[in-house]
Amino acid sequence: MKVAFASDHAGYELKQSLMELMKQRGYEPVDFGTNSTDSCDYPDYAHPAADAVEKGECAFGIAMCGTGNGISMTLNKHQGIRAALCWEPEIAALAKQHNNANILVLPARFVSEEMAVKIVDAYLNAEYEGGRHQRRIDKIPVH
Ligand code: RB5
């Protein structure tokens, strides 16, 4: 299963380590950049990753910037994307269970690597509950 990854410079190191984690978990990371800690602009990497998830080329995504906010704002401009900013495991589980989030976003400057692994695993191990949550999700898009 392919997983889209995107970050800016602030999230670069966490992106690299979480791509390795995902390989260990049996997934195939697809790296949309950035490719170094040189200062860059998160939309340049977020939009291609969002496109890949929207088109079904990647099953879901994991993204990060310093706070997680800029990259979340960018990803959520895409109608088919539900990007959820998660800073602890229970929020990540709920982002899947209730929001069927298809991109998990982490605030790289505000979570340890150890916490980031727990957040990713909570997201991976949770299942979307559907039902009333689908009714709410259906009302999200702006027509
Ligand atoms: C980069 O300094 C920082 O602004 C960016 O990573 C992010 O936090 C923006 O939302």
Side-chain angles (χ1 to χ4, degrees):
M1 189 183 285
K2 290 184 179 178
V3 182
F5 272 83
S7 79
D8 68 356
H9 53 287
Y12 170 74
E13 286 176 1
L14 183 59
K15 173 169 68 67
Q16 300 311 108
S17 75
L18 291 182
M19 286 195 300
E20 283 308 309
L21 176 85
M22 290 300 279
K23 281 185 204 165
Q24 290 167 19
R25 300 286 191 263
Y27 295 88
E28 184 183 340
V30 180
D31 188 2
F32 288 91
T34 186
N35 300 313
S36 78
T37 54
D38 293 346
S39 183
C40 65
D41 304 331
Y42 49 78
D44 294 341
Y45 311 99
H47 286 305
D51 286 340
V53 174
E54 277 192 306
K55 289 176 186 162
E57 294 166 1
C58 290
F60 62 95
I62 299 178
M64 56 288 283
C65 64
T67 60
N69 273 323
I71 206 158
S72 294
M73 291 173 188
T74 310
L75 294 164
N76 279 318
K77 289 292 179 189
H78 292 248
Q79 288 283 17
I81 296 300
R82 290 176 305 283
L85 175 56
C86 298
W87 57 94
E88 60 101 74
E90 192 176 356
I91 292 174
L94 287 165
K96 174 76 75 62
Q97 291 164 351
H98 289 190
N99 311 118
N100 201 17
N102 54 9
I103 302 189
L104 172 67
V105 181
L106 296 132
R109 287 182 172 151
F110 296 88
V111 289
S112 65
E113 188 175 329
E114 185 186 0
M115 176 58 79
V117 171
K118 289 180 183 169
I119 291 167
V120 170
D121 281 337
Y123 174 82
L124 295 178
N125 293 331
E127 286 190 17
Y128 177 48
E129 292 175 1
R132 69 189 187 282
H133 301 297
Q134 189 59 47
R135 186 180 69 235
R136 294 160 188 167
I137 286 172
D138 289 342
K139 293 181 179 180
I140 292 175
V142 177
H143 298 290

